[in-house]
Amino acid sequence: MPTTKKNNLLEYKGHPLMRKENIIYYGSMSDSHIIMMQILESSDYKGLPVAKRVSVQLQQTDPNVRMKERIVKKTEKNSMWAAMDIASIWLGRALHTK
């Protein structure tokens, strides 16, 4: 379940979550990798938008690497829950391999 820190940043499993429009960034830019999730399609459920298709990318944060080469892994999931599940696994593995 998401939690908040003292500085009011949303966190999930110890890593920050930040949203800008339909893109959600999971992780810290000061780490070697982050996750970028883009909501590609959504539907309404009882008047609230619910993600139906989400693109998930594990990316390097090194500014010296070209944008296309930053993408380490990518997939598409059919719910935000499934996207967050794979995102936390990928990010955890990427940050603990060094």
Side-chain angles (χ1 to χ4, degrees):
M1 178 172 234
T3 59
T4 54
K5 287 182 98 173
K6 293 175 187 169
N7 57 5
N8 292 331
L9 286 179
L10 192 62
E11 281 192 352
Y12 181 72
K13 294 189 178 183
H15 299 286
L17 280 166
M18 299 191 71
R19 179 179 179 179
K20 182 174 181 180
E21 297 174 6
N22 67 336
I23 297 177
I24 300 168
Y25 295 97
Y26 178 50
S28 174
M29 289 301 289
S30 62
D31 290 333
S32 62
H33 293 79
I34 62 161
I35 296 286
M36 184 189 82
M37 293 177 279
Q38 182 176 13
I39 300 170
L40 302 173
E41 185 180 340
S42 62
S43 63
D44 280 347
Y45 177 74
K46 295 185 179 182
L48 296 172
V50 176
K52 283 180 70 175
R53 262 182 49 218
V54 182
S55 169
V56 182
Q57 294 181 355
L58 174 66
Q59 298 180 353
Q60 297 179 44
T61 57
D62 185 354
N64 298 321
V65 178
R66 292 186 341 180
M67 188 54 100
K68 286 196 173 200
E69 295 172 355
R70 286 185 191 180
I71 299 170
V72 178
K73 292 182 181 183
K74 62 182 177 178
T75 189
E76 198 172 289
K77 296 296 179 185
N78 59 5
S79 70
M80 183 55 75
W81 178 262
M84 287 302 301
D85 193 31
I86 196 68
S88 66
I89 292 168
W90 283 358
L91 188 62
R93 288 179 182 169
L95 297 179
H96 289 95
T97 58
K98 294 201 171 204

